[in-house]
């Protein structure tokens, strides 16, 4: 046990205080760090809910580094990976003065691929003018970059169509047969990860490699003595994706794109190859057109009744088989063609498996995007699958987030992941919410499903926005509400000629919108669920956070509907045991956007009066930080004007 050292390290005059200006001891941080040290020492599972401002990252890094051994840290996003790698870990490593080696590993699509870059240069004639410009930037970068991380090229939009052409997937990677294997950015990153003391990954990569058992993380896990999940509240949803099965028309698009490269490089003498690719591309687009234009999710029972679904599906499969039959005659020409043939066969098999799957413990459904369709088969529960992977006596497992419990109860999180034998602890934020923040719920609002609800929301919050001089987040539960509230609020601000720009989710990347919001200082940002977490605006730029409705996910969602049905059929109450806990955790995330450090002040407005009027609202109310609370509009305006 390192309890005495940890307490000294975090003390007012300890080693950490030398690295942080105006350092203050946080007893909650010390308590958590000691408990994590005990769990690591005894190879236990520990769930830690650490309120905003405790400093959970440092709390787990110190005992992890002191324990030695191989450490894997899995985070929610690539941005958090970067922060750990460039800022947090170097600071703790230097303060502890321990020789810890680091590696950061991202998914394949984050690294440039020399072979695909070479092929893209050959195929330049097929590209748009914009892609050609970006291609030359990528090519120059690849010649000088040490690690080939595409995030270093921030002048190229994340959504650019050039990226799939210059990065690889596990399906089209040639591995050791590739002529660029020795300088491969992905392989070099994985070699560093194997030898490093600490490897930082993200949840998607962790579960993708855990499930696929491919090289990389599956080689790291047997050697790991400690695995730490930061932002662990996201794990149940992400793990469900990777423990399930899916196939997408986007993969067919990649097959077509790769086919043009194969054609130009190896098969120009095969006269009907290009025609077959064109036919496959058309069949792929026709299949997308079977579905409504807007993005949505549908259960299989619903989409199987669409008039053109069967014929479009069969046509797509037929065109894919035609391509495979052609490739069978030429796959021995080159390793690239052979790999392309195998990849095409695997995708065909995935389509067949999806259509024929009749597993009663999973839900078959379709997600429709603007340009593609993904066919999914998702397990109704992942508890047994996840528990099987982490039940070993050689590794300690730490799960931490600011939002894991419902009124200090972890049963919901534990049941989702099969963590029945895990210890748990909850520590509240050290911030003085009672003095710094006010929680307001209106006295009178229409029903949350009423057609005039958004109109009432804007009328309710507009005086608050004027009192706070902008500086507001409006967090919506649906994209439809987000757009309607944006339009209504913009009309009011323009009519009054106020200099409060309104930024809307989708009008740029999240980081771009947040930077504009911070820089202006009097802006309003309206977003949907992607802005409810992982958004950090400290200081005067944000004083008002508005939540339109309690975040209950639509029971029409096919996966949620199937899970509700299964829980209810087992004799339990799905609303109280599944829907409500999920809503509480999401609400806590949204509320957490307001107070980000000890000097922040502000008002949280929840426009949905069910939090007061319904019996279940009490559980939601009591799970939030200890805000001062009010239902008086004038009190809110005065509070904001004082700020």
């Amino acid at each position: 046990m390192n309890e005495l050292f940890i307490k000294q390290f975090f003390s007012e005059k300890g080693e950490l205080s030398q690295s942080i200006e105006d350092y203050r001891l946080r007893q909650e941080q010390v308590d958590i760090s000691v408990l994590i040290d005990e769990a690591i020492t005894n190879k236990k599972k520990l769930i830690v809910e650490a309120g905003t401002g405790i400093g959970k990252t440092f709390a787990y890094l110190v005992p992890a580094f002191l324990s030695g051994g191989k450490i894997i840290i899995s985070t929610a996003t690539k941005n958090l990976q970067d922060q750990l790698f460039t800022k947090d870990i170097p600071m703790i490593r230097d303060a502890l003065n321990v020789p810890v080696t680091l590696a950061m590993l991202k998914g394949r699509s984050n690294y440039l691929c020399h072979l695909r870059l070479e092929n893209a240069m050959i195929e330049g004639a097929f590209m748009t003018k914009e892609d050609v410009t970006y291609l030359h930037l990528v090519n120059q970068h690849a010649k000088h970059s040490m690690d080939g991380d595409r995030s270093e090229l921030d002048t190229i939009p994340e959504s650019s169509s050039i990226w799939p052409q210059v990065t690889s997937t596990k399906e089209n990677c040639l591995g050791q047969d590739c002529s660029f294997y020795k300088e491969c950015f992905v392989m070099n990153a994985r070699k560093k990860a194997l030898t490093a003391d600490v490897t930082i990954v993200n949840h998607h990569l962790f579960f993708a490699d855990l499930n696929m058992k491919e090289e990389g993380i599956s080689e790291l896990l047997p050697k790991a003595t400690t695995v730490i999940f930061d932002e662990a509240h996201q794990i149940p949803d992400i793990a469900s994706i990777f423990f399930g099965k899916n196939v997408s028309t986007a993969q067919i698009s990649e097959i077509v794109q790769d086919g043009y490269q194969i054609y130009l490089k190896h098969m120009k003498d095969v006269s009907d190859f290009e025609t077959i690719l064109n036919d496959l591309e058309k069949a792929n687009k026709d299949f997308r057109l079977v579905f409504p234009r807007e993005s949505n999710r549908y259960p299989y029972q619903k989409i199987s009744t669409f008039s053109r679904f069967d014929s479009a599906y069969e046509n797509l499969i037929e065109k894919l088989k035609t391509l495979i039959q052609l490739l069978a005659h030429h796959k021995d020409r080159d390793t690239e063609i052979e790999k392309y043939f195998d990849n095409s066969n695997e995708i065909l098999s995935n389509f067949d498996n999806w259509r024929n799957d009749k597993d009663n413990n999973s839900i078959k459904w379709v997600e429709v995007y603007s340009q593609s369709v993904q066919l999914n088969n998702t397990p109704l529960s992942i508890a047994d699958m996840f528990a099987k992977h982490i039940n070993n006596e050689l590794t300690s497992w730490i799960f931490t987030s600011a939002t894991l419990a419902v009124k200090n109860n972890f049963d919901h999180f534990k049941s989702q992941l099969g963590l029945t034998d895990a210890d748990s602890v909850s520590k509240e934020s050290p911030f003085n919410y009672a003095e710094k923040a006010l929680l307001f719920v209106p006295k009178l609002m229409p029903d949350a499903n009423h057609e005039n609800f958004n109109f009432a929301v804007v009328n309710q919050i507009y005086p608050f926005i004027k009192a706070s001089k902008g500086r507001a987040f409006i967090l919506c539960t649906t994209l439809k509400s987000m757009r309607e509230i944006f339009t209504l609020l913009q009309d009011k601000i323009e009519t009054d000629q106020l200099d409060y720009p309104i930024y809307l989710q989708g009008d740029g990347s999240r980081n771009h919108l947040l930077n504009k919001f911070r820089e202006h200082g009097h802006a309003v940002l309206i977003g949907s669920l992607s802005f409810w977490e992982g958004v950090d605006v400290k200081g005067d730029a944000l004083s008002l956070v508005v939540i339109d409705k309690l975040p209950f996910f639509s029971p029409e969602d096919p996966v949620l509907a199937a899970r509700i049905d299964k829980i209810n059929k087992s004799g339990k109450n799905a609303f109280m045991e599944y829907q409500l806990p999920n809503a509480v955790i999401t609400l806590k995330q949204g509320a957490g956007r307001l107070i980000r450090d000890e000097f922040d002040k502000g008002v949280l407005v929840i426009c949905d009066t069910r939090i007061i009027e319904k019996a279940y609202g009490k559980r939601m109310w009591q799970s939030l930080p200890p805000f001062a609370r009010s239902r008086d509009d004038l009190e809110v305006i005065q509070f904001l004007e004082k700020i």
Side-chain angles (χ1 to χ4, degrees):
M1 286 285 288
N2 300 297
E3 182 175 349
L4 290 177
F5 180 87
I6 289 171
K7 289 179 176 178
Q8 188 277 327
F9 179 82
F10 284 110
S11 68
E12 295 282 5
K13 295 184 179 179
E15 289 88 341
L16 187 58
S17 68
Q18 310 303 313
S19 303
I20 300 176
E21 191 175 347
D22 298 325
Y23 176 79
R24 294 187 185 185
L25 170 67
R26 291 172 178 166
Q27 189 57 46
E28 298 90 350
Q29 185 179 48
V30 179
D31 294 344
I32 286 173
S33 194
V34 169
L35 288 169
I36 292 173
D37 178 65
E38 181 187 356
I40 291 174
T41 301
N42 296 312
K43 305 300 179 190
K44 292 162 67 176
K45 305 182 188 79
L46 177 65
I47 303 168
V48 180
E49 181 177 73
T52 306
I54 285 178
K56 61 180 169 59
T57 304
F58 288 0
Y60 66 65
L61 286 178
V62 172
F65 286 1
L66 292 175
S67 71
K70 178 74 178 180
I71 302 162
I72 297 176
I73 302 173
S74 181
T75 70
T77 65
K78 288 176 281 189
N79 285 342
L80 285 172
Q81 276 186 277
D82 291 333
Q83 180 177 321
L84 275 167
F85 187 74
T86 60
K87 182 181 176 184
D88 295 341
I89 290 180
M91 181 181 287
I92 293 298
R93 179 179 60 183
D94 293 346
L96 285 172
N97 193 26
V98 290
V100 175
T101 57
L102 307 181
M104 179 164 61
L105 190 58
K106 299 179 181 179
R108 282 183 175 277
S109 62
N110 292 279
Y111 300 97
L112 302 180
C113 170
H114 293 289
L115 178 63
R116 290 183 62 78
L117 184 53
E118 178 184 79
N119 291 346
M121 295 294 286
I122 294 172
E123 197 209 353
F126 286 91
M127 295 184 180
T128 65
K129 189 175 181 181
E130 188 179 57
D131 278 354
V132 171
T133 301
Y134 289 151
L135 177 61
H136 287 288
L137 286 174
V138 172
N139 194 40
Q140 286 302 309
H141 179 71
K143 292 176 180 177
H144 303 102
S145 174
M146 295 294 292
D147 55 20
D149 191 334
R150 62 183 252 189
S151 66
E152 297 166 343
L153 279 162
D154 55 8
T155 55
I156 302 177
E158 289 185 23
S159 58
S160 171
S161 57
I162 195 63
W163 292 124
Q165 301 178 61
V166 296
T167 58
S168 78
T169 64
K170 69 178 181 65
E171 288 83 10
N172 59 35
C173 175
L174 300 182
Q176 295 185 20
D177 293 326
C178 180
S179 56
F180 295 99
Y181 183 74
K182 287 185 178 179
E183 56 258 59
C184 175
F185 292 126
V186 172
M187 292 303 148
N188 288 337
R190 290 186 166 179
K191 287 174 186 174
K192 289 178 185 176
L194 281 171
T195 58
D197 300 315
V198 180
T199 300
I200 308 161
V201 299
N202 60 60
H203 298 337
H204 284 86
L205 177 61
F206 183 94
F207 284 103
D209 282 359
L210 180 70
N211 191 41
M212 296 302 295
K213 298 288 187 185
E214 68 173 8
E215 75 280 13
I217 300 300
S218 58
E219 294 177 25
L220 291 172
L221 275 175
K223 300 176 183 177
T225 54
T226 302
V227 178
I228 300 169
F229 291 105
D230 202 341
E231 300 298 324
H233 63 277
Q234 293 193 9
I235 292 175
D237 286 340
I238 293 172
S240 292
I241 295 169
F242 290 103
F243 285 138
K245 299 171 184 175
N246 61 70
V247 64
S248 171
T249 60
Q251 293 172 277
I252 301 287
S253 297
E254 288 177 7
I255 286 288
V256 172
Q257 187 66 50
D258 291 350
Y260 288 130
Q261 293 182 348
I262 295 285
Y263 168 71
L264 288 169
K265 195 172 180 181
H266 301 292
M267 296 176 63
K268 273 192 170 182
D269 59 318
V270 182
S271 58
D272 51 348
F273 188 18
E274 198 173 359
T275 302
I276 289 172
L277 288 173
N278 291 338
D279 289 345
L280 178 59
E281 185 172 28
K282 183 179 184 303
N284 202 35
K285 289 177 179 177
D286 288 343
F287 184 64
R288 168 62 187 87
L289 293 174
V290 167
F291 302 90
R293 182 177 298 176
E294 67 276 6
S295 300
N296 208 340
R297 292 177 162 196
Y298 300 96
Y300 177 70
Q301 293 83 348
K302 171 78 173 177
I303 60 105
S304 61
T305 64
F306 289 1
S307 60
R308 292 172 45 236
F309 174 77
D310 286 330
S311 59
Y313 182 92
E314 296 301 334
N315 184 49
L316 178 61
I317 297 304
E318 180 188 332
K319 301 304 182 190
L320 182 56
K321 285 180 177 177
T322 302
L323 172 65
I324 291 169
Q325 289 165 3
L326 173 78
L327 294 172
H329 297 295
H330 301 279
K331 62 185 177 69
D332 295 333
R333 284 191 182 192
D334 186 89
T335 307
E336 273 191 81
I337 302 175
E338 184 179 8
K339 184 69 176 179
Y340 181 61
F341 170 77
D342 292 341
N343 185 23
S344 301
N345 256 321
E346 183 178 351
I347 290 173
L348 175 63
S349 175
N350 290 340
F351 269 95
D352 286 341
N353 290 340
W354 178 82
R355 190 79 187 272
N356 298 324
D357 196 298
K358 292 180 173 62
D359 184 358
N360 292 327
N361 292 313
S362 63
I363 173 68
K364 192 154 61 172
W365 58 288
V366 171
E367 183 149 22
V368 179
Y369 300 98
S370 59
Q371 302 293 326
S372 63
V373 178
Q374 182 162 299
L375 313 178
N376 303 282
N377 204 313
T378 303
L380 293 176
S381 171
I382 60 162
D384 292 341
M385 286 179 268
F386 185 71
K388 181 182 70 175
H389 280 294
I390 69 169
N391 278 338
N392 67 71
E393 298 176 356
L394 302 175
T395 307
S396 51
W397 299 81
I398 312 298
F399 304 82
T400 183
S401 170
T403 55
L404 291 172
V406 179
K407 283 183 60 183
N408 296 326
N409 185 304
F410 291 90
D411 288 351
H412 177 62
F413 182 74
K414 286 183 175 183
S415 67
Q416 286 182 294
L417 297 178
L419 298 173
T420 53
D421 59 340
D423 294 331
S424 58
V425 61
S426 179
K427 293 286 182 180
E428 289 189 0
S429 167
F431 298 155
N432 189 347
Y433 283 88
E435 288 186 10
K436 302 284 188 179
L438 187 65
L439 169 57
F440 171 82
V441 179
K443 290 178 181 176
L444 293 173
M445 284 289 288
D447 184 84
N449 296 317
H450 194 279
E451 61 182 359
N452 290 328
F453 183 79
N454 290 335
F455 183 79
V457 168
V458 172
N459 283 340
Q460 175 65 66
I461 67 173
Y462 187 56
F464 301 162
I465 290 173
K466 288 198 291 186
S468 66
K469 297 183 172 61
R471 304 189 301 157
F473 273 2
I474 302 174
L475 304 177
C476 303
T477 50
T478 66
L479 293 172
K480 182 181 177 183
S481 292
M482 178 189 81
R483 296 186 190 104
E484 189 171 328
I485 288 172
F486 170 80
T487 301
L488 292 168
L489 188 58
Q490 189 175 46
D491 287 345
K492 283 183 173 291
I493 287 176
E494 288 179 355
T495 299
D496 289 351
Q497 297 183 320
L498 300 175
D499 183 24
Y500 305 156
I502 306 184
Y503 304 130
L504 182 69
Q505 176 185 322
D507 288 347
S509 71
R510 189 166 79 161
N511 285 341
H512 176 68
L513 292 176
L514 286 170
N515 287 335
K516 285 170 65 176
F517 180 88
R518 292 187 188 100
E519 288 167 8
H520 190 278
H522 293 278
V524 177
L525 193 153
I526 306 179
S528 188
L529 287 172
S530 63
F531 276 87
W532 285 58
E533 61 178 278
V535 173
D536 195 15
V537 178
K538 297 176 183 176
D540 296 337
L542 179 63
S543 296
L544 175 65
V545 171
V546 177
I547 291 174
D548 67 339
K549 298 178 185 177
L550 299 180
F552 290 106
F553 296 119
S554 170
E556 294 181 5
D557 179 274
V559 179
L560 179 58
R563 286 178 175 159
I564 290 172
D565 185 57
K566 182 179 181 181
I567 293 169
N568 287 335
K569 283 181 177 176
S570 72
K572 299 178 181 178
N573 185 324
F575 179 79
M576 296 302 293
E577 297 189 28
Y578 188 78
Q579 292 168 275
L580 182 60
N582 274 345
V584 169
I585 289 170
T586 306
L587 183 65
K588 288 168 69 174
Q589 280 289 335
R593 297 317 98 209
L594 181 63
I595 304 297
R596 303 304 300 171
D597 71 24
E598 59 189 308
F599 302 108
D600 283 352
K601 295 180 180 180
V603 174
L604 172 66
V605 177
I606 299 177
C607 296
D608 191 336
T609 57
R610 287 178 295 177
I611 197 170
I612 301 291
E613 296 165 355
K614 298 293 186 181
Y616 61 76
K618 188 175 182 181
R619 285 181 68 184
M620 306 187 85
W621 186 280
Q622 292 176 339
S623 294
L624 293 172
F627 293 90
R629 304 185 180 194
S630 174
R631 305 196 77 182
D632 185 339
D633 294 52
L634 184 58
E635 186 178 356
V636 172
I637 291 171
Q638 290 172 343
F639 189 96
L640 289 167
E641 286 177 344
K642 280 183 184 178
I643 296 175

